[in-house]
Amino acid sequence: MPELFSEEWIREYIKFLNESSEYQEAARDWEGDFLFVVEPDEELERPMYVYLDLHHGKARNGYVVNDPSEVNPAFEFRGKYSNWKKLIYGEIDPIKGLVSGKFKLKGNMAKVMRYARAAKILVEVAQKIETRFPEK
Amino acid sequence: MWRFSSPQIIFGRDSVEHVETFRGRRCLIVTDEVIKDLGYVDSISKYLENHETVAIRADEPCTDDALELAEKMRYIQPEIIIALGGGSVIDAAKAGRILMEVDIPPEEITPFTDLEEYGFKGKTVLVAIPTTSGTGSEVTWAIVLKDEREKRKVIMANVKTMPEIAIIDPFFTYSMPENLVIWSGFDALTHAIEAFLSSFSNPFSDALASNSASMIFSNFIRSHRGEKDARENMHISATMAGMAFSNSQVGIVHALAHATGASLNIPHGLAVSAFLYPVLEFYSERGVKRLNELCLKIGHNVLQEVERLESVFEIRKIIDGSEIKMHQDEIVKKAMEDSCIVTAPFVPAEDDIAEIIERMVERCMQEES
């Protein structure tokens, strides 16, 4: 079982995402790369960073980032580790999570608003992966 | 975690007198040319000493209008903005109030945008006085403006856009034209139903949504006949439905109405009235349980009641099904890009949206033949 945001987890995520016809339909015209940031809290010591390049309904590339200044993504999505866990367990809706401030998004918000369905599918695909969560 | 937000609500006959409490403060009345010509501005300004009026165009305002309004607001520097009009006027004032303080494109007013990070301080108080009974804009944090370049409706939303005070005085609705009574009534009914069915629904929004749906079913036809008590009830119901959907969101009917309205210039209320039944029928066939819950809660068969109203007000005769059919692909694409799509009871695929449009078109064409 891959650990959340490990290289193995990202490979599996990209595989599932690229197999999703739903995502391909919803993000057909999407262009924009993301940095996902897991902020430490009482359950996690150090932050985690994952880069994902999403282009026209596919994930072109994705990897673990050690130093976030090495990448310059169009979007950044960040939240505390405990909230990421809730997101992956389906306990937080991604849109509600953003509206209620559990997650923060940087980038062209207006563009994201037009791809709300794709954003939901991105999370649903992550929920399909049997994930082991790192413990402190 | 979720939250319930609402302005302070002053309601009932003569509630407009509340603006007298603003006497002595610098006020800006935002309205449109039609409302101005009806003399409604005088019913507000007579209570004020220090005020100016800006009238925007009466048809659906676009993002550029909001920017222009913001510029005027920056110049006038009001302490209180009073938006007097239908949903379009109130939406423009909501956007203008933000854009007068914050230099961002209107589309960047999203639920995820931290406006305070951009310097928004909420320097003015926004008071909304609706003159129609449908949009609920006076109590919501949503704004719908047209993007003329892209021919689409831009749905903006941010909790900071919500007016601080809503004054729900039925006086302004007594002279509403017949079409407006029908279309705004359907808009309010759709807000109530979609709020209840939304994937973001909650006990607070449910209470308002079910109550307003029930009140609309009981008052809509009488309000159309011009009975004053029914019109007052519709005015209150529309605000309740607005409070419901502002805290739980809407769904496919609104996504389709925004898309159709932008592509074909169909008034929003007419578009929702045309799509409400086909969407509910589609939900019913897909086994959306919340639809049954709503029926049980309000003691009405919602689908039958909507069909009855659709028939009484001859909605299907007004819609040109062939024109919608011709633009189907464009409408599907725009509807799928509408943020309302993700708060439907389930997130539809493109084929689902196309099927709903086909059902609607077929119903209109049956009516024609």
Side-chain angles (χ1 to χ4, degrees):
Chain A
M1 194 188 292
E3 190 171 278
L4 179 72
F5 285 0
S6 61
E7 291 290 358
E8 189 190 357
W9 191 94
I10 298 164
R11 270 198 303 279
E12 193 142 337
Y13 181 73
I14 290 175
K15 180 175 162 280
F16 280 157
L17 192 65
N18 287 344
E19 284 169 0
S20 166
S21 54
E22 261 190 304
Y23 179 71
Q24 278 164 43
E25 181 191 291
R28 193 186 295 136
D29 306 318
W30 174 268
E31 290 176 8
D33 50 356
F34 271 87
L35 181 69
F36 296 102
V37 182
V38 184
E39 295 170 346
D41 59 11
E42 61 273 17
E43 292 182 60
L44 187 76
E45 264 176 3
R46 283 196 303 270
M48 295 195 282
Y49 306 96
V50 165
Y51 173 84
L52 195 61
D53 181 12
L54 300 169
H55 189 84
H56 293 190
K58 294 276 183 192
R60 290 196 299 198
N61 195 8
Y63 49 84
V64 173
V65 173
N66 293 317
D67 177 1
S69 66
E70 286 169 6
V71 289
N72 186 23
F75 297 92
E76 185 185 288
F77 184 85
R78 63 164 61 231
K80 283 185 185 162
Y81 177 60
S82 52
N83 288 331
W84 274 100
K85 273 172 92 171
K86 286 178 187 163
L87 189 74
I88 304 284
Y89 284 136
E91 292 166 9
I92 295 181
D93 175 276
I95 310 292
K96 265 187 175 176
L98 279 167
V99 177
S100 60
K102 287 184 184 292
F103 292 94
K104 296 269 184 206
L105 179 69
K106 276 188 192 166
N108 183 340
M109 309 278 189
K111 186 172 170 179
V112 172
M113 287 293 285
R114 293 171 76 163
Y115 290 87
R117 180 172 165 244
K120 265 185 110 89
I121 299 169
L122 281 172
V123 174
E124 284 163 14
V125 168
Q127 288 165 354
K128 286 182 189 164
I129 302 173
E130 277 195 67
T131 303
R132 182 164 53 84
F133 289 93
E135 300 295 336
K136 211 169 187 178
Chain B
M1 183 178 92
W2 198 226
R3 63 172 156 228
F4 185 91
S5 308
S6 166
Q8 181 187 25
I9 295 169
I10 316 289
F11 66 97
R13 291 183 192 184
D14 302 327
S15 52
V16 75
E17 288 173 8
H18 183 77
V19 299
E20 198 166 11
T21 61
F22 311 142
R23 189 183 282 270
R25 298 177 73 183
R26 195 166 55 256
C27 296
L28 170 66
I29 300 171
V30 178
T31 190
D32 67 32
E33 293 294 348
V34 173
I35 298 292
K36 204 174 164 191
D37 291 347
L38 283 167
Y40 288 169
V41 172
D42 300 337
S43 64
I44 307 285
S45 59
K46 68 181 180 188
Y47 296 112
L48 306 169
E49 287 163 344
N50 182 5
H51 70 88
E52 292 197 45
T53 301
V54 172
I56 61 170
R57 62 174 166 159
D59 58 345
E60 286 180 283
C62 64
T63 47
D64 288 344
D65 293 317
L67 287 165
E68 197 180 314
L69 182 59
E71 190 59 46
K72 286 179 181 161
M73 287 174 174
R74 260 195 296 272
Y75 177 73
I76 296 167
Q77 290 288 317
E79 291 171 80
I80 295 172
I81 298 166
I82 302 172
L84 174 71
S88 298
V89 166
I90 297 173
D91 281 358
K94 282 154 79 173
R97 191 255 287 249
I98 301 293
L99 299 169
M100 76 177 272
E101 284 193 39
V102 173
D103 186 19
I104 55 171
E107 297 88 336
E108 286 286 313
I109 304 173
T110 76
F112 324 134
T113 311
D114 184 347
L115 290 170
E116 283 171 359
E117 258 183 28
Y118 289 96
F120 181 73
K121 290 192 167 64
K123 291 175 187 164
T124 55
V125 171
L126 178 60
V127 180
I129 308 177
T131 55
T132 60
S133 313
T135 69
S137 178
E138 67 278 6
V139 286
T140 74
W141 42 291
I143 299 169
V144 183
L145 294 174
K146 203 167 176 182
D147 182 331
E148 288 197 324
R149 281 175 286 273
E150 289 193 48
K151 287 210 173 308
R152 59 184 280 267
K153 296 278 179 85
V154 184
I155 320 298
M156 292 167 269
N158 189 288
V159 77
K160 302 279 184 211
T161 67
M162 184 179 274
E164 278 73 29
I165 298 170
I167 298 176
I168 317 301
D169 192 323
F171 161 76
F172 299 104
T173 68
Y174 297 146
S175 54
M176 265 201 296
E178 190 184 346
N179 277 352
L180 204 51
V181 173
I182 298 171
W183 298 342
S184 59
F186 265 101
D187 196 19
L189 178 61
T190 307
H191 290 151
I193 296 172
E194 290 211 291
F196 193 89
L197 301 180
S198 163
S199 60
F200 283 13
S201 66
N202 56 74
F204 296 95
S205 61
D206 281 357
L208 289 158
S210 55
N211 243 325
S212 54
S214 180
M215 279 175 74
I216 292 166
F217 284 139
S218 304
N219 288 281
F220 199 168
I221 292 172
R222 288 199 306 113
S223 168
H224 179 248
R225 282 195 214 119
E227 294 180 29
K228 273 191 170 180
D229 67 315
R231 201 156 284 192
E232 287 171 26
N233 287 335
M234 286 297 286
H235 206 40
I236 286 171
S237 307
T239 298
M240 284 164 60
M243 290 165 76
F245 92 81
S246 184
N247 289 283
S248 76
Q249 313 310 308
V250 281
I252 297 176
V253 182
H254 271 80
L256 277 162
H258 293 150
T260 311
S263 293
L264 303 175
N265 264 326
I266 293 177
H268 177 71
L270 178 59
V272 292
S273 63
F275 280 114
L276 182 57
Y277 183 86
V279 170
L280 293 179
E281 186 185 51
F282 182 76
Y283 286 163
S284 174
E285 287 167 14
R286 290 291 180 100
V288 172
K289 287 183 185 155
R290 291 280 291 169
L291 188 53
N292 296 337
E293 278 177 43
L294 180 61
C295 295
L296 286 172
K297 212 170 175 99
I298 65 175
H300 286 283
N301 181 318
V302 173
L303 209 51
Q304 276 178 13
E305 283 295 304
V306 170
E307 192 173 33
R308 185 173 70 92
L309 291 170
E310 206 191 42
S311 169
V312 167
F313 295 125
E314 299 184 321
I315 296 298
R316 279 171 275 163
K317 283 185 183 166
I318 311 169
I319 295 279
D320 182 354
S322 58
E323 203 188 359
I324 290 176
K325 180 80 192 151
M326 235 160 50
H327 291 82
Q328 182 170 315
D329 292 346
E330 182 188 335
I331 294 168
V332 170
K333 186 174 186 300
K334 284 179 181 167
M336 293 305 290
E337 285 180 356
D338 193 291
S339 52
C340 301
I341 211 88
V342 293
T343 45
F346 60 88
V347 181
E350 282 183 3
D351 289 349
D352 297 328
I353 296 296
E355 187 188 328
I356 292 166
I357 295 171
E358 277 159 21
R359 282 177 191 220
M360 191 273 264
V361 168
E362 200 177 311
R363 284 164 61 77
C364 293
M365 287 182 162
Q366 274 171 2
E367 193 75 30
E368 280 170 25
S369 60

